Amino acid sequence: MLAGSSLLRIDDLEPGDVEQILHNTDSFVEVLERKVKKVPALRGKTVANIFFEPSTRTKNSFEIAAKRLSADTINFSSSTSSLKKGESITDTINTIIAMKVNLLVIRHGHSGVLNFLSDRIDLPIINAGDGKNQHPTQALLDLYTIRQKFSQVEGLKVGIVGDYLNSRVARSNVDLFQKMGMEVTVVAPSMFLPGDIKVTKARVAGSIDDIIHKVDVLYMLRMQLERQDRKFYPSIREYNRFLSLNSKRMTAMKKNSMVMHPGPVNRGIEISEELMERITTDKQLANKVFIQKQVTHGVAVRMALLYLILS
Amino acid sequence: MREKALILGAQDIERVLKRISHEILERNKGCGNLVFIGIQKRGIPLAARIAENIKNFEQSQIPVGKLDITFYRDDIGKSIKPEVNITDIPFDIKDKDIILVDDVLFTGRTIRAAMDAIIDLGRPRSVQLVVLIDRGHRELPIRADYVGKNIPTSINELIEVRLKETDSIDKVTICDNK
Protein backbone atom coordinates (compact mmCIF):
# COMPACT_ATOMS: atom_id res chain seq x y z
CA MET A 1 0.00 0.00 0.00
CA LEU A 2 2.77 2.43 0.94
CA ALA A 3 5.11 1.52 -1.92
CA GLY A 4 5.36 4.42 -4.34
CA SER A 5 2.70 6.51 -2.59
CA SER A 6 2.79 9.93 -0.94
CA LEU A 7 2.21 10.75 2.71
CA LEU A 8 0.58 14.17 2.92
CA ARG A 9 -1.77 13.72 5.88
CA ILE A 10 -2.59 11.16 8.52
CA ASP A 11 -5.82 10.34 6.65
CA ASP A 12 -3.62 8.81 3.90
CA LEU A 13 -2.81 5.96 6.30
CA GLU A 14 -4.98 3.00 7.26
CA PRO A 15 -4.35 1.50 10.73
CA GLY A 16 -2.63 -1.44 8.94
CA ASP A 17 -0.18 0.98 7.26
CA VAL A 18 0.57 2.55 10.64
CA GLU A 19 1.25 -0.90 12.11
CA GLN A 20 3.59 -1.72 9.23
CA ILE A 21 5.53 1.54 9.67
CA LEU A 22 5.86 1.01 13.44
CA HIS A 23 6.88 -2.63 12.97
CA ASN A 24 9.63 -1.62 10.54
CA THR A 25 10.70 1.19 12.88
CA ASP A 26 11.64 -1.43 15.49
CA SER A 27 14.23 -2.80 13.07
CA PHE A 28 15.64 0.63 12.27
CA VAL A 29 15.94 1.48 15.98
CA GLU A 30 18.12 -1.63 16.19
CA VAL A 31 20.18 -0.45 13.18
CA LEU A 32 20.73 2.90 14.93
CA GLU A 33 22.18 1.04 17.93
CA ARG A 34 24.85 -0.67 15.81
CA LYS A 35 28.45 0.44 15.42
CA VAL A 36 27.86 0.82 11.68
CA LYS A 37 24.50 2.62 11.61
CA LYS A 38 23.99 2.18 7.90
CA VAL A 39 22.31 -0.41 5.66
CA PRO A 40 22.34 -0.55 1.84
CA ALA A 41 18.56 -0.79 1.47
CA LEU A 42 18.10 2.35 -0.70
CA ARG A 43 21.42 2.36 -2.55
CA GLY A 44 21.01 4.20 -5.84
CA LYS A 45 17.94 6.20 -4.77
CA THR A 46 17.95 9.97 -4.30
CA VAL A 47 15.85 11.88 -1.77
CA ALA A 48 15.33 15.63 -2.19
CA ASN A 49 14.78 17.60 1.03
CA ILE A 50 12.93 20.73 -0.03
CA PHE A 51 12.36 23.15 2.82
CA PHE A 52 10.54 26.41 2.09
CA GLU A 53 10.48 27.10 5.83
CA PRO A 54 13.31 27.01 8.39
CA SER A 55 13.87 23.68 10.12
CA THR A 56 16.66 22.04 12.06
CA ARG A 57 15.50 18.80 13.54
CA THR A 58 13.04 17.63 10.87
CA LYS A 59 15.41 18.45 8.00
CA ASN A 60 18.41 16.81 9.69
CA SER A 61 16.27 13.86 10.71
CA PHE A 62 15.13 13.19 7.13
CA GLU A 63 18.63 13.68 5.79
CA ILE A 64 20.26 11.33 8.27
CA ALA A 65 17.44 8.79 7.74
CA ALA A 66 18.05 8.79 3.98
CA LYS A 67 21.83 8.57 4.40
CA ARG A 68 21.58 5.66 6.84
CA LEU A 69 19.63 3.80 4.18
CA SER A 70 22.47 4.57 1.72
CA ALA A 71 20.29 6.90 -0.38
CA ASP A 72 21.79 10.09 -1.82
CA THR A 73 20.28 13.37 -0.67
CA ILE A 74 20.03 16.84 -2.12
CA ASN A 75 19.00 19.76 0.03
CA PHE A 76 17.04 22.72 -1.20
CA SER A 77 16.30 25.78 0.86
CA SER A 78 14.13 28.58 -0.48
CA SER A 79 16.37 31.36 0.81
CA THR A 80 19.18 30.39 -1.57
CA SER A 81 17.05 29.35 -4.55
CA SER A 82 15.69 30.73 -7.80
CA LEU A 83 12.41 31.41 -5.99
CA LYS A 84 14.21 34.62 -5.09
CA LYS A 85 14.39 35.34 -8.84
CA GLY A 86 10.65 34.86 -9.20
CA GLU A 87 10.50 31.22 -10.26
CA SER A 88 7.19 29.53 -9.44
CA ILE A 89 7.08 26.74 -6.88
CA THR A 90 5.88 24.24 -9.51
CA ASP A 91 8.79 25.13 -11.81
CA THR A 92 11.24 24.86 -8.93
CA ILE A 93 9.96 21.41 -8.01
CA ASN A 94 9.95 20.28 -11.65
CA THR A 95 13.58 21.39 -11.99
CA ILE A 96 14.50 19.21 -9.01
CA ILE A 97 12.50 16.29 -10.42
CA ALA A 98 14.37 16.66 -13.73
CA MET A 99 17.54 15.82 -11.79
CA LYS A 100 16.08 12.28 -11.48
CA VAL A 101 15.33 12.21 -7.79
CA ASN A 102 13.09 9.44 -6.45
CA LEU A 103 11.23 11.10 -3.58
CA LEU A 104 10.51 14.60 -2.34
CA VAL A 105 10.40 15.61 1.31
CA ILE A 106 8.71 19.01 1.41
CA ARG A 107 8.03 21.57 4.12
CA HIS A 108 6.08 24.71 3.33
CA GLY A 109 4.67 27.53 5.41
CA HIS A 110 1.27 27.45 3.72
CA SER A 111 -1.32 24.79 4.48
CA GLY A 112 -2.37 22.74 1.49
CA VAL A 113 0.53 23.61 -0.85
CA LEU A 114 1.56 19.95 -0.89
CA ASN A 115 -1.90 18.85 -2.04
CA PHE A 116 -1.59 21.36 -4.89
CA LEU A 117 1.84 19.98 -5.83
CA SER A 118 0.89 16.32 -5.53
CA ASP A 119 -1.85 16.84 -8.13
CA ARG A 120 0.76 18.15 -10.56
CA ILE A 121 3.71 15.83 -10.13
CA ASP A 122 4.13 12.11 -10.43
CA LEU A 123 6.57 11.38 -7.61
CA PRO A 124 6.07 10.36 -3.97
CA ILE A 125 5.98 13.29 -1.55
CA ILE A 126 6.38 13.15 2.22
CA ASN A 127 4.91 16.10 4.06
CA ALA A 128 7.52 17.49 6.45
CA GLY A 129 5.03 20.08 7.74
CA ASP A 130 2.67 22.37 5.83
CA GLY A 131 1.59 25.55 7.58
CA LYS A 132 -0.86 24.89 10.38
CA ASN A 133 -2.18 21.81 8.62
CA GLN A 134 -0.29 18.52 9.09
CA HIS A 135 3.05 17.05 10.17
CA PRO A 136 2.39 13.32 9.76
CA THR A 137 5.91 12.02 10.42
CA GLN A 138 5.97 13.84 13.76
CA ALA A 139 2.70 12.12 14.69
CA LEU A 140 4.14 8.73 13.69
CA LEU A 141 7.29 9.20 15.76
CA ASP A 142 5.18 10.35 18.70
CA LEU A 143 2.95 7.30 18.41
CA TYR A 144 6.01 5.06 18.19
CA THR A 145 7.46 6.67 21.33
CA ILE A 146 4.20 6.14 23.20
CA ARG A 147 4.06 2.52 22.06
CA GLN A 148 7.59 1.91 23.28
CA LYS A 149 6.41 2.80 26.78
CA PHE A 150 2.88 1.36 26.69
CA SER A 151 2.92 -1.64 24.36
CA GLN A 152 -0.86 -1.29 23.96
CA VAL A 153 -2.00 2.20 22.93
CA GLU A 154 -5.73 1.61 22.54
CA GLY A 155 -7.62 3.26 25.38
CA LEU A 156 -4.70 5.41 26.55
CA LYS A 157 -5.66 8.91 27.71
CA VAL A 158 -3.69 11.72 26.09
CA GLY A 159 -3.74 15.40 26.98
CA ILE A 160 -2.49 17.77 24.25
CA VAL A 161 -1.72 21.11 25.85
CA GLY A 162 -1.25 24.59 24.44
CA ASP A 163 -1.35 26.37 21.10
CA TYR A 164 -3.60 23.96 19.19
CA LEU A 165 -4.75 26.63 16.74
CA ASN A 166 -1.32 27.17 15.16
CA SER A 167 0.01 23.64 15.56
CA ARG A 168 0.28 21.17 12.69
CA VAL A 169 1.78 18.71 15.18
CA ALA A 170 -1.40 18.83 17.28
CA ARG A 171 -3.68 18.28 14.27
CA SER A 172 -1.70 15.28 13.01
CA ASN A 173 -1.42 13.82 16.50
CA VAL A 174 -5.13 14.15 17.25
CA ASP A 175 -5.91 12.45 13.92
CA LEU A 176 -3.44 9.61 14.47
CA PHE A 177 -4.03 9.04 18.17
CA GLN A 178 -7.79 8.82 17.64
CA LYS A 179 -7.32 6.54 14.63
CA MET A 180 -5.39 4.16 16.92
CA GLY A 181 -8.08 4.20 19.62
CA MET A 182 -6.64 6.68 22.11
CA GLU A 183 -8.78 9.20 24.04
CA VAL A 184 -7.60 12.74 23.37
CA THR A 185 -8.28 15.85 25.41
CA VAL A 186 -7.08 19.17 24.02
CA VAL A 187 -6.18 21.63 26.76
CA ALA A 188 -6.45 25.14 25.40
CA PRO A 189 -8.43 28.28 26.06
CA SER A 190 -10.80 29.44 23.30
CA MET A 191 -8.25 31.73 21.61
CA PHE A 192 -6.10 28.65 20.91
CA LEU A 193 -8.96 26.60 19.49
CA PRO A 194 -10.04 26.58 15.83
CA GLY A 195 -13.73 26.45 14.92
CA ASP A 196 -13.41 22.91 13.57
CA ILE A 197 -12.14 21.34 16.83
CA LYS A 198 -15.54 19.67 17.27
CA VAL A 199 -15.10 17.50 14.15
CA THR A 200 -12.06 15.85 15.76
CA LYS A 201 -14.21 14.39 18.58
CA ALA A 202 -11.43 15.42 21.00
CA ARG A 203 -12.55 16.66 24.41
CA VAL A 204 -11.58 20.17 25.44
CA ALA A 205 -10.36 21.40 28.82
CA GLY A 206 -9.33 24.91 29.83
CA SER A 207 -6.51 24.18 32.28
CA ILE A 208 -3.76 21.60 32.57
CA ASP A 209 -4.90 21.01 36.17
CA ASP A 210 -8.20 19.57 34.89
CA ILE A 211 -6.46 16.60 33.26
CA ILE A 212 -2.97 16.18 34.67
CA HIS A 213 -3.91 13.50 37.23
CA LYS A 214 -5.88 11.48 34.63
CA VAL A 215 -3.68 11.26 31.53
CA ASP A 216 -1.19 8.58 30.54
CA VAL A 217 0.49 10.92 28.05
CA LEU A 218 0.91 14.65 28.57
CA TYR A 219 1.85 16.24 25.24
CA MET A 220 3.07 19.82 25.61
CA LEU A 221 2.76 21.78 22.36
CA ARG A 222 5.31 24.36 21.38
CA MET A 223 4.03 27.92 21.46
CA GLN A 224 4.18 28.84 17.76
CA LEU A 225 5.54 32.33 18.34
CA GLU A 226 6.66 32.63 14.71
CA ARG A 227 3.18 31.79 13.44
CA GLN A 228 1.35 34.30 15.63
CA ASP A 229 0.99 37.44 13.55
CA ARG A 230 -1.13 38.81 16.34
CA LYS A 231 -0.80 38.05 20.03
CA PHE A 232 -3.05 35.15 20.95
CA TYR A 233 -2.44 35.13 24.68
CA PRO A 234 -2.56 37.99 27.15
CA SER A 235 0.72 37.23 28.96
CA ILE A 236 3.26 34.52 29.74
CA ARG A 237 2.06 34.70 33.35
CA GLU A 238 -1.42 33.73 32.20
CA TYR A 239 0.02 30.94 30.06
CA ASN A 240 2.01 29.62 33.01
CA ARG A 241 -1.07 29.72 35.22
CA PHE A 242 -3.24 27.52 32.97
CA LEU A 243 -1.05 25.68 30.50
CA SER A 244 2.58 25.27 31.63
CA LEU A 245 4.20 22.20 33.10
CA ASN A 246 6.24 22.75 36.25
CA SER A 247 7.63 20.55 39.03
CA LYS A 248 4.54 20.90 41.20
CA ARG A 249 2.21 19.84 38.40
CA MET A 250 4.49 16.99 37.45
CA THR A 251 4.11 15.46 40.91
CA ALA A 252 0.34 15.34 40.28
CA MET A 253 0.80 13.09 37.25
CA LYS A 254 -0.04 9.39 37.34
CA LYS A 255 2.89 7.19 38.37
CA ASN A 256 3.21 5.41 35.04
CA SER A 257 2.75 8.39 32.73
CA MET A 258 4.94 10.27 30.28
CA VAL A 259 5.68 13.82 29.11
CA MET A 260 6.30 14.66 25.45
CA HIS A 261 7.12 17.81 23.47
CA PRO A 262 7.88 18.14 19.74
CA GLY A 263 10.77 20.54 20.42
CA PRO A 264 12.37 22.93 20.51
CA VAL A 265 11.08 23.78 24.00
CA ASN A 266 10.42 27.43 24.76
CA ARG A 267 11.87 27.31 28.26
CA GLY A 268 9.72 29.15 30.76
CA ILE A 269 6.64 28.96 28.55
CA GLU A 270 5.45 25.39 27.88
CA ILE A 271 7.80 23.87 30.46
CA SER A 272 9.25 25.87 33.34
CA GLU A 273 12.93 26.71 33.30
CA GLU A 274 13.28 25.14 36.73
CA LEU A 275 11.71 21.83 35.61
CA MET A 276 13.89 21.69 32.48
CA GLU A 277 16.96 22.05 34.71
CA ARG A 278 15.74 19.36 37.12
CA ILE A 279 15.15 16.96 34.24
CA THR A 280 18.88 17.03 33.49
CA THR A 281 19.85 16.11 37.05
CA ASP A 282 16.96 14.07 38.50
CA LYS A 283 16.92 10.56 36.99
CA GLN A 284 13.41 9.77 38.17
CA LEU A 285 12.08 12.89 36.49
CA ALA A 286 14.14 12.29 33.36
CA ASN A 287 12.61 8.82 32.98
CA LYS A 288 9.20 10.44 32.60
CA VAL A 289 10.26 12.91 29.91
CA PHE A 290 10.66 11.52 26.38
CA ILE A 291 11.73 14.61 24.40
CA GLN A 292 15.15 13.19 23.43
CA LYS A 293 13.70 9.76 22.68
CA GLN A 294 11.24 11.43 20.30
CA VAL A 295 14.17 12.85 18.33
CA THR A 296 15.93 9.46 18.09
CA HIS A 297 12.72 7.70 17.12
CA GLY A 298 12.17 10.40 14.48
CA VAL A 299 15.16 9.14 12.50
CA ALA A 300 14.02 5.50 12.74
CA VAL A 301 10.40 6.26 11.79
CA ARG A 302 11.55 8.28 8.78
CA MET A 303 13.90 5.46 7.76
CA ALA A 304 10.93 3.07 7.90
CA LEU A 305 8.79 5.39 5.78
CA LEU A 306 11.46 6.05 3.15
CA TYR A 307 12.17 2.33 2.99
CA LEU A 308 8.52 1.34 2.61
CA ILE A 309 7.81 3.98 -0.04
CA LEU A 310 10.96 3.49 -2.10
CA SER A 311 11.73 -0.22 -1.88
CA MET B 1 0.71 -25.57 -4.58
CA ARG B 2 0.68 -29.40 -4.72
CA GLU B 3 2.84 -31.47 -2.39
CA LYS B 4 4.82 -33.98 -4.50
CA ALA B 5 6.96 -35.84 -1.99
CA LEU B 6 8.14 -35.89 1.59
CA ILE B 7 11.91 -35.36 1.65
CA LEU B 8 12.61 -35.40 5.39
CA GLY B 9 10.40 -36.33 8.34
CA ALA B 10 10.87 -35.26 11.96
CA GLN B 11 13.36 -38.05 12.79
CA ASP B 12 15.31 -37.45 9.58
CA ILE B 13 15.68 -33.76 10.44
CA GLU B 14 16.92 -34.66 13.93
CA ARG B 15 19.48 -37.12 12.53
CA VAL B 16 20.69 -34.65 9.91
CA LEU B 17 21.16 -31.89 12.49
CA LYS B 18 23.07 -34.24 14.80
CA ARG B 19 25.37 -35.21 11.95
CA ILE B 20 25.96 -31.55 11.06
CA SER B 21 26.66 -30.78 14.74
CA HIS B 22 29.39 -33.44 14.78
CA GLU B 23 30.82 -32.17 11.47
CA ILE B 24 31.04 -28.63 12.87
CA LEU B 25 32.89 -29.85 15.98
CA GLU B 26 35.22 -32.01 13.89
CA ARG B 27 36.10 -29.31 11.41
CA ASN B 28 36.59 -26.60 14.05
CA LYS B 29 38.37 -28.93 16.50
CA GLY B 30 35.89 -28.13 19.25
CA CYS B 31 33.61 -25.17 19.83
CA GLY B 32 35.70 -22.64 21.79
CA ASN B 33 35.57 -19.89 19.18
CA LEU B 34 32.16 -20.60 17.62
CA VAL B 35 29.04 -18.45 17.53
CA PHE B 36 25.80 -19.29 15.70
CA ILE B 37 23.77 -16.87 13.64
CA GLY B 38 20.41 -18.01 12.27
CA ILE B 39 18.89 -16.22 9.30
CA GLN B 40 15.24 -15.16 9.77
CA LYS B 41 13.12 -17.00 10.01
CA ARG B 42 13.71 -20.77 9.99
CA GLY B 43 17.47 -20.51 10.26
CA ILE B 44 17.01 -19.38 13.86
CA PRO B 45 15.39 -22.56 15.27
CA LEU B 46 17.82 -24.67 13.23
CA ALA B 47 20.78 -22.77 14.73
CA ALA B 48 19.29 -23.17 18.22
CA ARG B 49 18.88 -26.93 17.70
CA ILE B 50 22.47 -27.37 16.51
CA ALA B 51 23.70 -25.29 19.48
CA GLU B 52 21.64 -27.53 21.79
CA ASN B 53 23.17 -30.67 20.22
CA ILE B 54 26.67 -29.27 20.75
CA LYS B 55 25.79 -28.43 24.34
CA ASN B 56 24.81 -32.07 24.85
CA PHE B 57 27.98 -33.37 23.16
CA GLU B 58 30.51 -30.93 24.64
CA GLN B 59 28.77 -29.38 27.70
CA SER B 60 29.43 -25.99 26.20
CA GLN B 61 26.83 -23.28 25.58
CA ILE B 62 27.36 -21.49 22.27
CA PRO B 63 25.61 -18.12 21.76
CA VAL B 64 22.91 -17.94 19.06
CA GLY B 65 22.00 -14.70 17.27
CA LYS B 66 19.15 -13.77 14.94
CA LEU B 67 19.87 -12.05 11.64
CA ASP B 68 17.35 -10.30 9.38
CA ILE B 69 18.78 -9.57 5.95
CA THR B 70 15.87 -7.64 4.39
CA PHE B 71 17.78 -4.34 4.23
CA TYR B 72 20.65 -6.06 2.41
CA ARG B 73 18.63 -7.85 -0.27
CA ASP B 74 19.08 -6.81 -3.89
CA ASP B 75 15.72 -8.19 -5.00
CA ILE B 76 13.27 -6.17 -2.85
CA GLY B 77 10.51 -4.80 -5.05
CA LYS B 78 11.18 -7.38 -7.78
CA SER B 79 9.59 -10.47 -6.31
CA ILE B 80 10.22 -10.04 -2.61
CA LYS B 81 7.95 -7.95 -0.38
CA PRO B 82 9.84 -5.99 2.28
CA GLU B 83 8.97 -8.08 5.33
CA VAL B 84 11.23 -6.88 8.07
CA ASN B 85 12.13 -8.90 11.14
CA ILE B 86 14.39 -8.32 14.09
CA THR B 87 18.17 -8.66 14.11
CA ASP B 88 19.36 -9.60 17.59
CA ILE B 89 23.03 -10.49 17.92
CA PRO B 90 23.81 -9.89 21.60
CA PHE B 91 27.50 -10.82 21.38
CA ASP B 92 30.64 -9.49 19.74
CA ILE B 93 31.44 -11.29 16.47
CA LYS B 94 34.95 -9.86 16.16
CA ASP B 95 37.48 -12.66 15.47
CA LYS B 96 34.81 -15.34 16.00
CA ASP B 97 34.13 -18.33 13.75
CA ILE B 98 30.54 -17.72 12.72
CA ILE B 99 28.31 -20.64 11.83
CA LEU B 100 25.63 -19.10 9.62
CA VAL B 101 22.47 -21.21 9.43
CA ASP B 102 19.59 -21.18 6.93
CA ASP B 103 16.93 -23.65 5.88
CA VAL B 104 17.24 -23.70 2.07
CA LEU B 105 20.13 -22.67 -0.19
CA PHE B 106 18.77 -21.64 -3.60
CA THR B 107 20.14 -18.73 -5.67
CA GLY B 108 22.69 -17.68 -3.02
CA ARG B 109 21.36 -14.12 -2.83
CA THR B 110 20.13 -14.51 0.75
CA ILE B 111 23.55 -15.72 1.86
CA ARG B 112 25.33 -12.89 0.03
CA ALA B 113 23.03 -10.42 1.81
CA ALA B 114 23.67 -12.18 5.14
CA MET B 115 27.43 -11.92 4.68
CA ASP B 116 27.14 -8.20 3.90
CA ALA B 117 25.05 -7.74 7.05
CA ILE B 118 27.54 -9.67 9.17
CA ILE B 119 30.52 -7.68 7.89
CA ASP B 120 28.69 -4.47 8.90
CA LEU B 121 28.41 -5.83 12.44
CA GLY B 122 32.11 -6.60 12.84
CA ARG B 123 35.00 -8.60 11.41
CA PRO B 124 34.70 -12.31 12.14
CA ARG B 125 37.64 -14.70 11.73
CA SER B 126 35.58 -16.91 9.43
CA VAL B 127 32.04 -17.54 8.27
CA GLN B 128 30.87 -21.10 7.63
CA LEU B 129 27.49 -21.94 6.15
CA VAL B 130 25.00 -24.59 7.29
CA VAL B 131 21.89 -25.33 5.22
CA LEU B 132 19.29 -27.98 5.81
CA ILE B 133 18.53 -28.31 2.08
CA ASP B 134 20.59 -27.37 -0.98
CA ARG B 135 18.24 -27.25 -3.95
CA GLY B 136 20.69 -25.91 -6.56
CA HIS B 137 20.07 -23.10 -9.12
CA ARG B 138 22.85 -20.87 -7.80
CA GLU B 139 23.10 -17.34 -9.27
CA LEU B 140 26.16 -16.40 -7.19
CA PRO B 141 29.35 -18.35 -6.42
CA ILE B 142 28.26 -19.53 -2.96
CA ARG B 143 28.65 -23.03 -1.52
CA ALA B 144 27.53 -24.43 1.84
CA ASP B 145 30.10 -25.98 4.23
CA TYR B 146 27.53 -28.28 5.85
CA VAL B 147 24.51 -29.59 3.91
CA GLY B 148 21.66 -31.59 5.41
CA LYS B 149 20.46 -32.96 2.09
CA ASN B 150 21.06 -32.09 -1.55
CA ILE B 151 17.78 -32.05 -3.50
CA PRO B 152 18.17 -31.35 -7.22
CA THR B 153 14.99 -29.46 -8.18
CA SER B 154 13.44 -27.95 -11.26
CA ILE B 155 12.99 -24.18 -11.16
CA ASN B 156 9.21 -24.69 -11.02
CA GLU B 157 9.40 -26.70 -7.83
CA LEU B 158 9.42 -25.38 -4.27
CA ILE B 159 11.06 -26.78 -1.17
CA GLU B 160 8.85 -26.30 1.88
CA VAL B 161 10.62 -26.53 5.23
CA ARG B 162 8.32 -26.75 8.24
CA LEU B 163 9.72 -26.67 11.78
CA LYS B 164 8.02 -27.23 15.14
CA GLU B 165 9.09 -23.81 16.45
CA THR B 166 7.54 -21.89 13.54
CA ASP B 167 4.97 -24.26 12.01
CA SER B 168 4.14 -26.85 14.74
CA ILE B 169 5.51 -29.71 12.63
CA ASP B 170 8.92 -30.95 11.47
CA LYS B 171 9.00 -31.90 7.78
CA VAL B 172 10.55 -31.00 4.44
CA THR B 173 8.50 -31.49 1.29
CA ILE B 174 8.90 -30.78 -2.41
CA CYS B 175 5.94 -29.05 -4.06
CA ASP B 176 4.81 -27.88 -7.49
CA ASN B 177 4.86 -24.07 -7.63
CA LYS B 178 1.46 -23.79 -9.34
Side-chain angles (χ1 to χ4, degrees):
Chain A
M1 156 92 208
L2 286 159
S5 54
S6 291
L7 176 59
L8 302 185
R9 62 191 84 77
I10 289 299
D11 280 351
D12 291 340
L13 299 170
E14 298 295 327
D17 301 325
V18 176
E19 284 299 331
Q20 194 182 12
I21 294 164
L22 299 191
H23 172 70
N24 277 23
T25 303
D26 281 337
S27 299
F28 287 113
V29 167
E30 182 269 316
V31 169
L32 294 178
E33 295 296 324
R34 295 182 191 173
K35 279 182 198 162
V36 177
K37 303 174 198 324
K38 193 163 179 159
V39 291
L42 294 187
R43 203 166 38 193
K45 308 279 186 188
T46 304
V47 173
N49 284 323
I50 305 168
F51 280 67
F52 294 101
E53 216 188 36
S55 166
T56 310
R57 66 190 63 212
T58 305
K59 190 175 176 187
N60 287 343
S61 185
F62 268 110
E63 183 168 4
I64 206 160
K67 284 181 169 166
R68 284 180 174 169
L69 290 165
S70 301
D72 295 312
T73 56
I74 61 164
N75 288 304
F76 168 92
S77 103
S78 55
S79 57
T80 53
S81 76
S82 288
L83 284 171
K84 292 274 174 204
K85 300 178 191 167
E87 189 181 44
S88 79
I89 183 168
T90 317
D91 289 344
T92 302
I93 298 285
N94 278 326
T95 303
I96 293 169
I97 292 171
M99 295 172 189
K100 304 293 179 196
V101 302
N102 300 99
L103 182 141
L104 307 172
V105 175
I106 306 180
R107 167 171 287 194
H108 201 284
H110 289 148
S111 308
V113 166
L114 273 64
N115 293 36
F116 168 84
L117 285 171
S118 75
D119 289 341
R120 283 159 180 78
I121 59 172
D122 187 23
L123 210 61
I125 300 175
I126 297 178
N127 182 352
D130 63 329
K132 298 174 183 178
N133 186 29
Q134 287 270 309
H135 195 356
T137 57
Q138 177 73 42
L140 286 165
L141 74 90
D142 288 336
L143 178 67
Y144 183 80
T145 306
I146 294 168
R147 213 167 74 160
Q148 288 295 91
K149 179 169 172 64
F150 305 99
S151 47
Q152 179 71 35
V153 297
E154 197 177 341
L156 285 180
K157 291 183 170 58
V158 187
I160 298 183
V161 183
D163 182 4
Y164 183 93
L165 180 70
N166 295 296
S167 174
R168 54 195 172 209
V169 172
R171 281 183 182 78
S172 309
N173 281 13
V174 169
D175 290 351
L176 183 60
F177 293 172
Q178 290 190 330
K179 191 185 281 279
M180 303 310 281
M182 295 153 86
E183 291 176 30
V184 180
T185 303
V186 172
V187 182
S190 54
M191 68 281 262
F192 278 156
L193 288 173
D196 64 351
I197 184 72
K198 282 181 190 153
V199 302
T200 66
K201 294 181 190 150
R203 293 178 192 158
V204 175
S207 165
I208 192 170
D209 297 313
D210 298 339
I211 56 126
I212 196 148
H213 53 287
K214 298 180 200 162
V215 294
D216 303 293
V217 181
L218 186 68
Y219 198 102
M220 307 304 295
L221 293 173
R222 192 171 74 85
M223 180 83 135
Q224 304 289 319
L225 298 167
E226 73 279 11
R227 234 168 266 144
Q228 296 184 4
D229 41 11
R230 64 190 168 86
K231 208 172 177 184
F232 281 88
Y233 214 69
S235 72
I236 296 302
R237 239 177 82 192
E238 285 279 312
Y239 195 100
N240 287 342
R241 194 166 154 208
F242 293 109
L243 300 170
S244 294
L245 183 62
N246 53 34
S247 290
K248 193 176 161 204
R249 281 183 168 138
M250 201 141 165
T251 56
M253 289 184 73
K254 280 164 73 173
K255 200 176 173 194
N256 190 31
S257 57
M258 65 194 293
V259 174
M260 301 174 78
H261 187 294
V265 176
N266 292 309
R267 283 179 174 229
I269 302 182
E270 305 101 54
I271 300 179
S272 73
E273 184 82 46
E274 167 259 342
L275 178 58
M276 285 299 285
E277 283 305 313
R278 278 190 61 206
I279 288 166
T280 58
T281 53
D282 184 334
K283 238 184 179 175
Q284 223 178 340
L285 264 184
N287 286 338
K288 254 179 138 53
V289 179
F290 285 72
I291 300 170
Q292 294 300 321
K293 282 256 186 250
Q294 286 171 265
V295 178
T296 305
H297 293 159
V299 176
V301 162
R302 287 168 180 130
M303 286 171 83
L305 255 183
L306 292 172
Y307 176 71
L308 286 167
I309 293 174
L310 284 177
S311 63
Chain B
M1 202 164 55
R2 189 177 62 87
E3 193 174 303
K4 285 168 72 175
L6 180 71
I7 307 291
L8 297 174
Q11 283 192 334
D12 303 319
I13 292 175
E14 198 181 322
R15 273 187 218 108
V16 158
L17 293 179
K18 276 188 181 156
R19 191 240 308 152
I20 288 175
S21 308
H22 283 297
E23 285 176 5
I24 291 170
L25 287 172
E26 193 180 350
R27 175 164 165 180
N28 291 281
K29 298 183 173 62
C31 56
N33 200 43
L34 296 184
V35 294
F36 283 97
I37 294 181
I39 299 176
Q40 294 272 16
K41 104 186 183 191
R42 290 184 184 81
I44 294 164
L46 289 174
R49 287 193 205 182
I50 297 171
E52 187 62 27
N53 286 342
I54 288 178
K55 188 182 166 193
N56 293 335
F57 302 153
E58 300 276 310
Q59 284 72 52
S60 189
Q61 184 82 52
I62 304 177
V64 180
K66 303 172 184 174
L67 184 69
D68 181 65
I69 49 95
T70 316
F71 303 141
Y72 291 81
R73 293 199 75 112
D74 58 4
D75 44 4
I76 290 284
K78 291 192 169 70
S79 58
I80 309 288
K81 282 185 184 168
E83 263 182 50
V84 180
N85 287 295
I86 289 292
T87 290
D88 180 18
I89 300 182
F91 46 81
D92 192 356
I93 63 166
K94 190 181 171 213
D95 292 332
K96 291 288 182 187
D97 293 308
I98 292 177
I99 309 293
L100 184 63
V101 185
D102 203 4
D103 54 353
V104 179
L105 179 55
F106 183 27
T107 60
R109 289 180 190 272
T110 300
I111 304 303
R112 183 207 65 83
M115 286 194 288
D116 283 351
I118 285 170
I119 300 302
D120 272 358
L121 295 170
R123 189 179 187 280
R125 189 167 76 176
S126 69
V127 179
Q128 300 163 33
L129 177 62
V130 173
V131 294
L132 184 62
I133 305 292
D134 184 347
R135 63 165 292 191
H137 302 285
R138 215 73 80 241
E139 293 170 7
L140 297 170
I142 282 170
R143 176 184 62 79
D145 299 276
Y146 312 95
V147 179
K149 197 168 174 67
N150 281 296
I151 316 275
T153 55
S154 95
I155 198 77
N156 294 322
E157 290 170 326
L158 269 185
I159 297 289
E160 286 262 314
V161 174
R162 295 282 171 253
L163 297 174
K164 268 186 271 184
E165 296 88 334
T166 49
D167 316 282
S168 313
I169 189 170
D170 272 354
K171 67 172 185 176
V172 180
T173 52
I174 188 163
C175 308
D176 269 332
N177 189 17
K178 283 177 187 166

